[in-house]
Amino acid sequence: MIADSGFTDIQIGPAVDTFGGASGEPNARVFEVFGYAFLAKKPG
């Protein structure tokens, strides 16, 4: 999706536990939900 939007040099960071301590943490664990940082360039 990022590449289809015209971005290049796409980098994806490691998985991050973004739900630790949140009320939805048990659901995040069941569905293995993590956050990821993205870095990309938009030419032009």
Side-chain angles (χ1 to χ4, degrees), residues 2-42:
I2 295 173
D4 290 342
S5 298
F7 287 93
T8 62
D9 301 324
I10 301 164
Q11 298 177 33
I12 302 172
V16 177
D17 180 8
T18 57
F19 287 93
S23 61
E25 183 176 4
N27 290 331
R29 297 280 177 258
V30 169
F31 293 103
E32 298 181 3
V33 177
F34 297 97
Y36 295 86
F38 290 86
L39 179 64
K41 294 180 183 175
K42 180 84 173 189

